[in-house]
Amino acid sequence: MDKKGKAARVLVIRLSAMGDVAMMIPVLRALTEKYPGLQLTILTKRLFLPIFSGLENVNAIEADVKNAHKGLVGLWRLYQELKKHQFDAVADLHNVLRSRVLKKYFSLDRIAFAQIDKGRSEKRALTRSRNKKFEQLKTTHERYAEVFTALGFPVELSGAKLLERRQLSDKVLQLVKQDAKKWIGIAPFAAHEGKMYPLHLMKEVIKNLNNTEKYKILLFGGGSKEVVQLEEFSGEFDHTLNMAGKLNLSEELELISNLDIMLSMDSGNAHLAANYGILVVTLWGVTHPYAGFYPFGQPMDYALMADRERFPLIPTSVYGNKMPKDYAIAMESIEPKAVVEKLQHILEA
């Protein structure tokens, strides 16, 4: 394996979640730029395959963990399929039970295998209520890069190239229709309540942006309940369109890459947009950028955070799934007016 540019084949494992998968992109771009002979194969879920479309020297394949690759037998079947690629090394950016089983299998062939250090002890210190150690931790991007360094591929992230804007397909153009307005993407949902801006306040944000008549507001979401809520918003405001349930991920990425700005929670959409160099304003509730999940390359003042003077235990968890009593209202300390002003200030600048 020649680290200076000759062919080397590395399997990269990251099965979920979307935000964590999306955060791989700057690292992969930095790697393939520095090591042009490096061939990367991403093992992930089918849903996330479009994220890697068009990346030079990067191929993505599916891990069907719910069917063909389920359980020990399924993972052995997956290993046999992967073995045919004759990988020189494996970079495990997930470090969960499934990938640890694969590590055992790859050890049979003495394949170099490096796993991410998730920094669990530091994150516990950051999120505990007593003797909280409130400081910036390594970013997830840095933790990913460390895995490749362990395999002999050190890389600098500061110069990582961002993804190029995607061409809009006819389907997307028919839905959105190009005009002179600036396009604001809004992704108001998150996996956990502690990371989600209250919908009645988000409605205020949308209303105020809509009433300027300067912007086209494009709403992003996922599940059926989210689609219903976003359809309600789009039906109420003239310059607001719901994209949820109308586009597949590949088409959403086309649209995201053509936005002027994205407003997102601490969630996957923030990272998808940041990968294209789109300006991203993020809203933070009981989580905090210090845990290492801040969108790549975004100025820290693009983050609007819940008031820590009123809610000093923030961050209460890494993923927003743990909230002390009365912390469910933490995000209400972010005024809709402040969100609108931040978006407008960035767009006008």
Side-chain angles (χ1 to χ4, degrees):
M1 195 165 39
D2 189 332
K3 283 82 173 180
K4 295 182 179 179
K6 292 185 179 179
R9 295 175 296 275
V10 177
L11 175 67
V12 185
I13 302 172
R14 181 74 228 195
L15 304 177
S16 64
M18 183 179 286
D20 298 287
V21 172
M23 280 189 280
M24 295 167 59
I25 296 298
V27 183
L28 302 182
R29 289 299 299 266
L31 281 164
T32 54
E33 181 77 12
K34 184 174 181 180
Y35 306 103
L38 188 61
Q39 298 291 325
L40 300 170
T41 297
I42 314 302
L43 181 68
T44 192
K45 292 182 179 179
R46 177 191 291 270
L47 173 65
F48 304 139
L49 297 181
I51 293 172
F52 305 96
S53 176
L55 284 176
E56 190 174 353
N57 293 344
V58 177
N59 176 45
I61 57 178
E62 177 189 3
D64 185 8
V65 295
K66 290 188 176 179
N67 296 293
H69 304 139
K70 183 178 181 180
L72 291 174
V73 174
L75 288 172
W76 177 256
R77 186 182 298 117
L78 174 60
Y79 163 68
Q80 292 296 328
E81 294 169 12
L82 295 171
K83 188 176 176 181
K84 297 172 185 176
H85 293 268
Q86 298 182 316
F87 293 113
D88 298 296
V90 180
D92 178 9
L93 305 187
H94 205 169
N95 198 352
V96 292
L97 181 59
R98 289 190 183 99
S99 61
R100 289 194 285 271
V101 170
L102 286 173
K103 179 181 181 180
K104 295 286 187 184
Y105 294 157
F106 275 103
S107 69
L108 299 173
D109 291 318
R110 301 179 185 276
I111 303 296
F113 201 109
Q115 292 179 297
I116 186 172
D117 174 5
K118 294 184 176 181
R120 288 189 174 93
S121 61
E122 303 102 283
K123 288 173 181 174
R124 281 195 296 270
L126 175 66
T127 56
R128 66 195 178 198
S129 57
R130 293 184 179 181
N131 300 316
K132 182 184 289 289
K133 200 169 183 180
F134 187 66
E135 63 182 18
Q136 179 67 59
L137 305 184
K138 287 179 187 174
T139 69
T140 299
H141 303 97
E142 290 169 334
R143 293 184 189 278
Y144 286 168
E146 285 178 344
V147 178
F148 292 98
T149 298
L151 293 174
F153 297 95
V155 67
E156 288 291 330
L157 297 180
S158 57
K161 288 186 177 180
L162 299 170
L163 297 176
E164 293 75 25
R165 178 176 299 194
R166 295 193 182 195
Q167 184 173 349
L168 293 171
S169 63
D170 289 341
K171 177 182 174 181
V172 175
L173 282 171
Q174 285 174 5
L175 278 172
V176 180
K177 296 185 172 51
Q178 286 185 311
D179 52 32
K181 289 182 170 63
K182 291 189 175 180
W183 291 4
I184 300 177
I186 297 183
F189 299 102
H192 301 286
E193 182 185 353
K195 297 201 297 184
M196 197 172 120
Y197 198 51
L199 286 175
H200 69 281
L201 298 182
M202 184 58 78
K203 184 176 179 179
E204 283 295 309
V205 171
I206 294 170
K207 177 183 175 181
N208 289 325
L209 292 169
N210 182 83
N211 289 349
T212 67
E213 300 193 348
K214 295 194 298 187
Y215 312 117
K216 179 169 285 184
I217 300 152
L218 305 170
L219 306 176
F220 295 86
S224 56
K225 288 183 180 178
E226 297 180 7
V227 171
V228 170
Q229 182 63 66
L230 297 183
E231 281 292 342
E232 215 174 277
F233 286 164
S234 65
E236 192 168 343
F237 303 114
D238 293 339
H239 309 295
T240 302
L241 299 173
N242 170 39
M243 298 292 104
K246 299 178 181 179
L247 303 173
N248 60 36
L249 180 57
S250 183
E251 292 160 342
E252 281 197 2
L253 291 173
E254 289 175 21
L255 186 51
I256 286 171
S257 75
N258 282 273
L259 295 174
D260 290 288
I261 198 166
M262 170 69 88
L263 172 64
S264 174
M265 307 301 104
D266 168 19
S267 66
N269 283 285
H271 302 292
L272 293 174
N275 288 340
Y276 291 96
I278 304 303
L279 306 172
V280 183
V281 171
T282 44
L283 305 183
W284 300 75
V286 299
T287 59
H288 194 279
Y290 277 6
F293 295 95
Y294 197 66
F296 186 79
Q298 299 292 320
M300 189 56 74
D301 69 351
Y302 285 12
L304 295 176
M305 290 170 266
D307 186 348
R308 285 196 76 248
E309 287 190 10
R310 288 177 57 192
F311 304 98
L313 299 183
I314 290 174
T316 65
S317 66
V318 171
Y319 302 110
N321 56 336
K322 296 176 183 176
M323 286 188 294
K325 185 181 178 182
D326 300 329
Y327 272 60
I329 62 168
M331 280 193 107
E332 293 184 17
S333 64
I334 305 172
E335 294 286 342
K337 181 182 177 183
V339 180
V340 173
E341 287 177 350
K342 175 64 73 173
L343 291 166
Q344 290 183 311
H345 174 75
I346 295 170
L347 286 170
E348 289 167 11

